[in-house]
Amino acid sequence: MFSEIAPGVFSAEHQVAEGKNALVFGRRGALAIVGGTYEKEGQAMADFIRNKGYPVDRLALTHGHGDHVLGAKPLAAGEVYAHAKTPALIRRHAVSWAERQGKDLEELIGELAMPTITYSQELCIDLGDLSVRFFPTPGHSEDGVSAYIKEHKLLIGGDAVVTGIVPAIGDGDSRVLEASLRTLAEMEIEVLLPGHGPVVYGAGQVRGWIEWEANYLAAARARVRALLDEGLGGDELLDGVSFDELVQGRLAAEKHGMHKRHCATVQVILAEEQRGEN
């Protein structure tokens, strides 16, 4: 479950679509970054930290979606860092989480790793020999952030960057996500830990993957716009935005329901384009 991807930096797998959490260890302490969907995932991370002789007292969230928040409570014994928009996003999603679990809304919120420290621009956590800089990369969600460890030129992408699934727009915006990806592609990154999917090594490989994601969104939008201009809509339009053409063999259609994920992204882009017409 745990793999050291750079000195002092570990990936921690969670069950949703090759999900990746992170653990960072420095001379001054440890930092957990997101906690997965299930409490056992967050508990395994907490145990891993304690087994290395560190207290479990720092957790950072990359955004407020369930597959990164619902399992994080065992990691929330100290400070919980997140973007300023994350608490409200968690509360909005908590309505459906409470319904599914048959719990009172406030009871469920009390069980979550709610942020204790928020920021709107950047946050730097100094662990001594390693520093972790969090900065906004919205688009997948309005509160999305990524983290950069300059000592290793390592990016923890959150769900702004995914390598095991097509780019997803949860409650964000595809143009905003594309802009975030274009910015990330210009950074000096030699190790990429995505929100979902395999770790990528090598500056060229990392940049190539991030640029492909941005280009995928741009190509999907251009195709949707062209089909709308032809007067197409519904299933006919969705069929016209070819999975094979846009994905270019990078991802298997049958894995993680990839074709369905592709259609969901196209539908979001379609809705954005239709709103732009009104």
Side-chain angles (χ1 to χ4, degrees), residues 13-251:
E13 297 179 7
H14 71 82
Q15 293 182 31
V16 177
E18 297 177 74
K20 296 291 188 295
N21 307 331
L23 294 163
V24 186
F25 296 92
R27 288 197 308 267
R28 295 180 182 172
L31 171 67
I33 302 178
V34 304
T37 307
Y38 304 103
E39 187 169 333
K40 65 181 180 180
E41 295 169 340
Q43 187 61 57
M45 293 174 68
D47 292 344
F48 190 81
I49 293 170
R50 291 191 181 97
N51 288 339
K52 283 189 166 291
Y54 291 84
V56 180
D57 58 2
R58 293 179 182 179
L59 167 67
L61 303 176
T62 58
H63 59 299
H65 289 168
D67 58 326
H68 299 265
V69 171
L70 287 171
K73 187 63 173 178
L75 297 161
E79 300 293 1
V80 180
Y81 308 94
H83 191 273
K85 294 181 178 180
T86 298
L89 185 66
I90 290 175
R91 285 185 169 273
R92 288 204 302 274
H93 284 290
V95 174
S96 62
W97 300 340
E99 289 176 355
R100 286 200 302 269
Q101 296 183 29
K103 292 183 177 180
D104 174 77
L105 175 59
E106 292 306 317
E107 175 191 1
L108 176 67
I109 289 174
E111 297 173 356
L112 297 176
M114 292 299 291
T116 61
I117 295 176
T118 62
Y119 56 96
S120 58
Q121 296 301 316
E122 293 189 359
L123 173 73
C124 187
I125 298 177
D126 184 359
L127 298 176
D129 48 335
L130 296 178
S131 60
V132 187
R133 180 173 65 90
F134 292 87
F135 58 98
T137 50
H140 169 74
S141 63
E142 62 182 359
D143 64 330
V145 301
S146 297
Y148 186 68
I149 301 174
K150 64 180 180 181
E151 291 82 3
H152 297 319
K153 299 177 182 176
L154 187 154
L155 182 77
I156 300 166
D159 277 3
V161 188
V162 289
T163 61
I165 56 176
V166 296
I169 303 105
D171 38 23
D173 181 281
S174 71
R175 284 191 174 85
V176 174
L177 178 56
E178 183 187 341
S180 292
L181 289 164
R182 301 285 184 204
T183 298
L184 290 171
E186 296 303 314
M187 291 178 62
E188 192 174 7
I189 304 167
E190 294 185 357
V191 183
L192 167 63
L193 179 65
H196 298 269
V199 178
V200 180
Y201 296 92
Q205 293 288 335
V206 171
R207 180 167 184 159
W209 189 275
I210 295 174
E211 287 181 340
W212 174 79
E213 289 190 90
N215 292 339
Y216 166 92
L217 292 170
R221 188 180 306 108
R223 186 62 178 150
V224 166
R225 185 69 264 162
L227 293 171
L228 281 173
D229 290 344
E230 292 175 16
L232 299 181
D235 290 342
E236 194 174 16
L237 184 145
L238 289 177
D239 290 342
V241 186
S242 167
F243 174 88
D244 291 338
E245 181 181 336
L246 267 67
V247 174
Q248 302 171 338
R250 282 182 175 261
L251 300 164

